[in-house]
Amino acid sequence: MVMPLPQPATSSIQIIDDLVAERQNGKNAAFFNGIHAEWRTRVQDYVAQCGSPEFIHDWPAVAHKKKSFLNLYLSSRVGSTQATMLDLLDDHELTLCPACGEAGRPNTLDHYLPKGRYPHFCVTPLNLFPMCDACQKEKLEKTGDANSPRFFVHPYFDVFVAQRVLELSIHRPYDKPTFALSVRPGLTVAQTALITSHVRELAIEQRYAHFFRGQHRRLLRLVNEMRSNDQNVQMNLAAFRDSYSDPSENSWEHVFYCAVLADANLLDYLENSQLPDYP
Ligand SMILES: [Zn+2]
């Protein structure tokens, strides 16, 4: 699941000055000179409002130049200001998607505020972060609706997701359980609404159903081994849980083992019942 990311090294304000300076001899020089000050102000607002679509407005006056903005992102020349910034963002060492927690290197960049509607943020470093293909496919141009103006966790600003934000419950029968995800109690009303919409809009619960089934089968196998080796089941499971809290308390394994250890009935089943023999 979600995890916060350190903010990009490239300044979201400075890059505008550099982009405008680079265009002084091009055919769009007059256009970029004309919007320079307002472009800067709009990015400053983005930073001040933490990227929230609730408070950030469209820019109709530049709609006719949408393509010129998008070209900054889509056709960046090697060595240009924005290509250097994009290379830095691509040069990460993440081993899971910060939006959903899918294991593996997220190999695309997402525009938190979509570039179709907000083309002037298409090369704003604070609006770009690594994401997996499956999340991108679900997110597309979505930002929010009338009921929840902001659907998605912002990995650079929503630092509260450094703590565990989801709770998994495991329901009987324990040899073939069902799973339910909910927002962890103790978060604020706004945080709860944000996590709820993030999970819903990225279809996270559906996408991870098979993961939890697989983890549970693995759990039964592991506990069978522990019991046949006379090992302390709860101590071992706690060690698994703690090892999975890195790089994020919201890693799916960590959420899973927290659920196991919080369920006294399941622990009793694991320690004392005849467990099925999975291959
Ligand atoms: Zn993802």
Side-chain angles (χ1 to χ4, degrees):
M1 235 309 257
V2 289
M3 62 185 279
L5 297 176
Q7 295 196 357
T10 313
S11 157
S12 290
I13 308 294
Q14 180 65 44
I15 196 172
I16 294 174
D17 299 342
D18 295 344
L19 285 164
V20 173
E22 261 182 12
R23 270 149 196 82
Q24 287 310 301
N25 298 321
K27 63 177 170 27
N28 282 320
F31 168 69
F32 280 108
N33 284 334
I35 62 158
H36 187 176
E38 185 169 352
W39 196 10
R40 242 175 164 271
T41 304
R42 284 177 180 268
V43 173
Q44 279 164 343
D45 281 351
Y46 182 106
V47 179
Q49 302 294 352
C50 301
S52 174
E54 194 175 358
F55 305 110
I56 296 171
H57 305 295
D58 300 351
W59 193 0
V62 298
H64 66 293
K65 282 286 192 181
K66 183 173 172 177
K67 226 174 128 193
S68 299
F69 282 110
L70 295 183
N71 279 341
L72 295 175
Y73 179 72
L74 298 170
S75 319
S76 55
R77 183 175 42 79
V78 177
S80 63
T81 294
Q82 70 275 31
T84 307
M85 178 274 290
L86 293 169
D87 285 347
L88 275 173
L89 281 174
D90 270 330
D91 186 29
H92 61 76
E93 293 177 356
L94 292 169
T95 53
L96 47 79
C97 169
C100 73
E102 182 173 286
R105 188 180 193 280
N107 55 14
T108 183
L109 288 175
D110 178 61
H111 288 89
Y112 182 78
L113 294 185
K115 62 183 183 304
R117 179 170 167 190
Y118 303 91
H120 51 291
F121 297 132
C122 74
V123 286
T124 300
L126 280 168
N127 195 42
L128 282 158
F129 71 98
M131 189 183 253
C132 75
D133 294 337
C135 279
Q136 278 245 296
K137 209 169 130 227
E138 297 290 343
K139 185 170 176 281
L140 297 171
E141 293 278 307
K142 290 189 281 193
T143 55
D145 62 18
N147 291 327
S148 39
R150 184 160 80 102
F151 279 165
F152 301 104
V153 168
H154 199 306
Y156 298 135
F157 295 115
D158 290 314
V159 290
F160 76 94
V161 300
Q163 62 178 315
R164 185 162 62 86
V165 294
L166 279 178
E167 196 115 279
L168 179 73
S169 7
I170 304 174
H171 298 293
R172 296 169 201 266
Y174 289 137
D175 59 341
K176 212 180 171 189
T178 53
F179 303 93
L181 267 182
S182 54
V183 181
R184 195 177 178 197
L187 301 184
T188 68
V189 172
Q191 290 168 345
T192 302
L194 181 61
I195 297 296
T196 303
S197 62
H198 184 92
V199 168
R200 181 189 66 234
E201 296 299 326
L202 295 180
I204 283 177
E205 192 162 10
Q206 299 87 310
R207 285 166 53 198
Y208 282 86
H210 65 282
F211 173 85
F212 291 124
R213 284 197 300 272
Q215 279 294 308
H216 193 78
R217 277 196 302 275
R218 182 168 174 268
L219 170 73
L220 297 181
R221 274 199 307 271
L222 286 169
V223 170
N224 253 337
E225 275 174 37
M226 291 173 199
R227 283 171 54 177
S228 56
N229 292 326
D230 276 336
Q231 291 172 339
N232 183 309
V233 170
Q234 286 202 41
M235 267 176 58
N236 274 289
L237 294 179
F240 279 130
R241 177 196 59 200
D242 296 344
S243 72
Y244 285 127
S245 65
D246 182 57
S248 164
E249 284 200 15
N250 290 306
S251 81
W252 287 116
E253 290 89 348
H254 188 251
V255 170
F256 177 79
Y257 279 99
C258 284
V260 173
L261 283 152
D263 187 333
N265 292 326
L266 173 56
L267 286 173
D268 180 51
Y269 168 81
L270 292 172
E271 288 182 316
N272 301 309
S273 297
Q274 171 75 37
L275 302 182
D277 232 353
Y278 288 113

